[in-house]
Amino acid sequence: MNETTQKNHIARVYCLLAVDLLSIIISYLAAVAIRFNLQDFSNRREMHYTTCLCFLLFCVIYSLVMDWNRSFSKRGYLVEFTRVFKYNVIMSVVVGCFLFLIKQAEFFSRLLFGYFFLINILCTFLLHAAIKVVMGKYFSREQSRTRTLLVVEKEKLAETMQQLKSSLPVYYDISAIAVVDAEEAGTDYDGIPIVADGNNLMKEARQLPLDEVFIRVEEMPKTVIRDMIRDFESMGILCHYSIDIVEWQSRGSSLGTFGNYTVVTYSLYRFDYVGKLVKRLMDIAGGLTGLFITALLTPFVAIAIKLDSKGPVFFSQTRIGKNGRRFKFYKFRSMYADAEERKKELQEKNEIKGLMFKMEDDPRITKVGKFLRKTSIDELPQFYNVLIGDMSLVGTRPPTEDEFKQYSLYYRRRLSMTPGLTGLWQVSGRSNIQDFEQVVKYDLDYIDNWSIALDIKILLKTIVVIFTGRGSK
């Protein structure tokens, strides 16, 4: 099982387990209320606690051992109801037998047992159906899907696509194909664009929104495959190679499955998924707090911007997010409305070496804009990007489309993590940085050493930077 599948498997197991436990508690209380009244729960507390605990323990053991929700995301509502019914029948039989063995069955109302059985079937099914609806909406979002490039030989394309479509989880999106032994670029297979062949694969892949790569080739020399995997690794992309195994080991390689195929998965790093969940929860809390502050300040900032210069209050621009995804990036406008057009005229005055633009006294910045930038107020609307998941509170700098078009494979690895409102380079004297290579170094250091503790440290340093004005020019 590869890392992405394992992460979603863990999330599914524990989410559905929590829902099933909740359903048991609701159903049992409802059954008691119908058969007697809730006062009976207090009168015969020990018996009810014992019985309900037996149901809960069975649910935990059955879910973790049998993994009866294994195909949850793919099965339809009729199949779902059948599985829920079967689970409840087995639970009722097992718990009933257990209560008989511990001599508690004679005190237990059989009608109560029947009510619980029927109510729990309905309650569990409805909760599962609700989760399916939520999952469907969640995985329909661009940033929620795992965009995957298939690298394959022409002869194996049809078979491989059929296998992957039938076996991969719903959150996988085979978004592009590279046919290494034929010039098929510019065509498509089953609606999926074929973007490259063996000669221009890395050139095209560098510009794709891409999370993972699945390689299934046999005729290509192993040295070429090895270099291909190494290039994908250098971009920060998770790479699955369908074995026969490449005779080359990476510090991040692991044996697992991709769909129905046995693969070696290569990655430069391993993330702690509990930590990633905590990071996302921090982003949601921070995003909501930041948007509240933004809402309070927006009327005053908007008036100041409008009085100072013509143009909209907000500035939006397409930026490149995690693994090449495009998203709309928002700020309070701090420049004149024609700033993007004037940038070309000022390019020769760029004071930073490499794929960034910076001027100490940029004539495009308005008077109000200088204050907004000095205090970082101009960046407050980005809390919306943080809340919806395009950005994180802490991450790497999101490049513009023009910058991204010039990226090498080495630069591309900056995009293997969600871009941030702040980051290591922002709190390391950003106004003193004169070379884009330094920005890349800080971003890759952050990715390679990421932890929740590091995020908290950067957030605290960011607060110091904002209030002292250090590095915010």
Side-chain angles (χ1 to χ4, degrees), residues 398-425:
T400 64
E401 287 189 296
D402 289 341
E403 293 169 0
F404 180 60
K405 289 176 183 177
Q406 303 175 64
Y407 268 22
S408 64
L409 301 183
Y410 171 68
Y411 292 160
R412 167 73 191 235
R413 191 159 78 88
R414 297 179 62 243
L415 304 177
S416 60
M417 203 161 186
T418 304
L421 191 60
T422 185
L424 194 57
W425 80 276

Side-chain angles (χ1 to χ4, degrees), residues 225-363:
I225 298 173
R226 179 198 62 199
D227 291 341
M228 183 193 305
I229 294 171
R230 183 174 292 156
D231 285 342
F232 281 122
E233 268 198 314
S234 70
M235 293 164 64
I237 293 173
L238 202 66
C239 188
H240 309 284
Y241 175 70
S242 180
I243 56 177
D244 295 334
I245 191 168
V246 178
E247 295 176 356
W248 172 62
Q249 291 297 316
S250 165
R251 62 173 180 165
S253 65
S254 61
L255 189 66
T257 59
F258 187 85
N260 289 332
Y261 294 98
T262 300
V263 297
V264 179
T265 297
Y266 298 90
S267 176
L268 284 179
Y269 36 75
R270 293 285 188 267
F271 286 131
D272 171 14
Y273 288 116
V274 174
K276 292 295 288 294
L277 175 61
V278 173
K279 180 179 175 69
R280 182 58 189 145
L281 292 175
M282 287 172 56
D283 288 343
I284 293 172
L288 290 171
T289 304
L291 283 178
F292 176 73
I293 296 171
T294 305
L296 294 178
L297 293 180
T298 294
F300 306 101
V301 175
I303 292 171
I305 291 173
K306 283 293 188 179
L307 290 175
D308 185 45
S309 62
K310 294 181 179 180
V313 172
F314 296 99
F315 169 77
S316 67
Q317 185 181 48
T318 299
R319 291 291 182 102
I320 309 300
K322 184 178 179 182
N323 290 330
R325 289 171 170 78
R326 271 73 174 171
F327 71 96
K328 280 292 183 181
F329 170 93
Y330 297 97
K331 297 178 71 172
F332 283 123
R333 182 173 61 83
S334 60
M335 291 185 172
Y336 291 103
D338 61 349
E340 287 299 301
E341 290 75 14
R342 294 173 62 187
K343 181 179 177 180
K344 296 179 182 179
E345 303 170 7
L346 300 170
Q347 197 65 49
E348 61 183 26
K349 298 181 180 179
N350 187 10
E351 296 172 5
I352 191 167
K353 182 181 177 182
L355 304 181
M356 283 178 64
F357 181 85
K358 184 180 107 174
M359 278 185 68
E360 183 70 23
D361 295 310
D362 194 327

